[in-house]
Amino acid sequence: MKKSLLLTLSIVGGIATILLSVLIGVLIGNADLEGNYTEELKEIKANITAAEERLKDEESKLLSIQEEVNAAGERLTSENEKLENTRTKVAEVKQLIDQKDTLTTEIESLKNEQEKSKKDLSKLDEEIKAKQGEVSELNDTIKAKKVELDKLEKTIVSKGEEPIQLTAGQYIVGPDVPEGRYQVTNIGKGTNFFVYDAGGMATVNTILGDSIVGTGDYVFFTYEGNMIETLGPVKLIPVK
């Protein structure tokens, strides 16, 4: 559009220049006839003046149009900048939408993991309750064993002999420990205690002590040739 207006302005200016040149040529070529054609020359001059005025008007209009074109160009540039900004914002919004989709997927995954964790926790609670029931039953068993031990201790009468203290190890009944009936009790923490007959068969296999797996003291018979084995220090109390 800008090039078209400039071309129009050039054409109008060229025509005005040609017209002016022709008129001046006519005036110069006919200088001798000026006296005879005064009225015609006046009319021609008036036409030239009018043409010049119209030319000025057209130039003014063209300048006004050029200014409008420039203003339109500036507006177009501004609109292009707005369009580019809009495109940038659209890209940012699209990126945010993509991020939202990713976050939504991650949230769904976390929800699934949370549900799985809840199920695992519920299962673990059930197992804990079951174990607590087992522990409760075991405690009841321990209490019953202690009652039995108390009853047993009341029926045991000490011989009044000095107790025999053994460290962890193996002992032969006869050379190391006299045969007889004994009440064995642990010294310190609980320990495993065994008695084997002459054929190597275990006649006593128990855990001494008051721990969760211990059974307290133990009363047993032993004979010459048996072997006593203890994994910790114990005390043998001779009983009748």
Side-chain angles (χ1 to χ4, degrees), residues 21-32 34 41 44-45 48:
S21 298
V22 171
L23 292 174
I24 292 172
V26 171
L27 290 174
I28 293 173
N30 297 283
D32 295 335
E34 184 176 357
L41 288 175
I44 291 171
K45 287 180 179 181
I48 290 173

Side-chain angles (χ1 to χ4, degrees), residues 16-88:
T17 302
I18 292 171
L19 180 60
L20 182 61
S21 298
V22 171
L23 292 174
I24 292 172
V26 171
L27 290 174
I28 293 173
N30 297 283
D32 295 335
L33 300 175
E34 184 176 357
N36 298 325
Y37 300 101
T38 301
E39 294 298 327
E40 292 182 4
L41 288 175
K42 287 180 179 181
E43 184 178 353
I44 291 171
K45 287 180 179 181
N47 291 334
I48 290 173
T49 300
E52 288 177 347
E53 292 295 331
R54 288 196 299 273
L55 179 60
K56 289 180 180 180
D57 290 340
E58 292 299 326
E59 287 178 348
S60 178
K61 291 178 181 180
L62 286 174
L63 288 175
S64 177
I65 292 171
Q66 183 63 42
E67 290 176 355
E68 292 179 359
V69 169
N70 292 338
E74 291 177 357
R75 288 195 298 273
L76 179 61
T77 301
S78 177
E79 291 300 324
N80 286 334
E81 290 176 355
K82 290 180 181 179
L83 178 61
E84 189 63 30
N85 291 335
T86 302
R87 286 175 179 172
T88 302

Side-chain angles (χ1 to χ4, degrees), residues 51-228:
E52 288 177 347
E53 292 295 331
R54 288 196 299 273
L55 179 60
K56 289 180 180 180
D57 290 340
E58 292 299 326
E59 287 178 348
S60 178
K61 291 178 181 180
L62 286 174
L63 288 175
S64 177
I65 292 171
Q66 183 63 42
E67 290 176 355
E68 292 179 359
V69 169
N70 292 338
E74 291 177 357
R75 288 195 298 273
L76 179 61
T77 301
S78 177
E79 291 300 324
N80 286 334
E81 290 176 355
K82 290 180 181 179
L83 178 61
E84 189 63 30
N85 291 335
T86 302
R87 286 175 179 172
T88 302
K89 290 180 179 179
V90 168
E92 291 175 353
V93 170
K94 185 178 181 301
Q95 185 178 6
L96 289 173
I97 292 173
D98 293 339
Q99 291 177 355
K100 177 187 175 183
D101 293 339
T102 301
L103 288 174
T104 300
T105 303
E106 292 178 356
I107 289 171
E108 288 298 324
S109 177
L110 288 174
K111 285 182 178 179
N112 293 334
E113 291 180 2
Q114 185 182 34
E115 290 298 324
K116 183 177 180 300
S117 297
K118 286 182 178 179
K119 291 180 181 178
D120 293 341
L121 183 60
S122 178
K123 183 178 179 181
L124 185 60
D125 286 339
E126 292 177 357
E127 292 178 357
I128 289 173
K129 289 178 180 179
K131 292 296 182 182
Q132 286 175 343
E134 293 177 5
V135 170
S136 178
E137 292 178 0
L138 188 57
N139 286 332
D140 292 341
T141 302
I142 291 172
K143 290 178 181 179
K145 291 293 184 182
K146 285 184 177 180
V147 171
E148 291 178 6
L149 180 60
D150 290 339
K151 291 180 180 180
L152 183 61
E153 286 177 346
K154 290 178 181 179
T155 62
I156 295 173
V157 179
S158 175
K159 287 185 176 182
E161 298 177 4
E162 288 294 326
I164 300 171
Q165 187 166 323
L166 302 177
T167 59
Q170 296 177 338
Y171 302 88
I172 302 298
V173 177
D176 299 325
V177 178
E179 68 175 7
R181 190 182 186 205
Y182 294 95
Q183 176 182 338
V184 60
T185 182
N186 60 292
I187 299 174
K189 295 182 179 179
T191 182
N192 293 79
F193 183 81
F194 308 92
V195 177
Y196 302 94
D197 61 18
M201 183 71 67
T203 58
V204 177
N205 182 355
T206 187
I207 299 175
L208 305 176
D210 296 328
S211 65
I212 192 170
V213 294
T215 57
D217 293 355
Y218 191 83
V219 177
F220 65 98
F221 288 93
T222 184
Y223 306 96
E224 189 170 350
N226 291 171
M227 185 182 74
I228 297 174

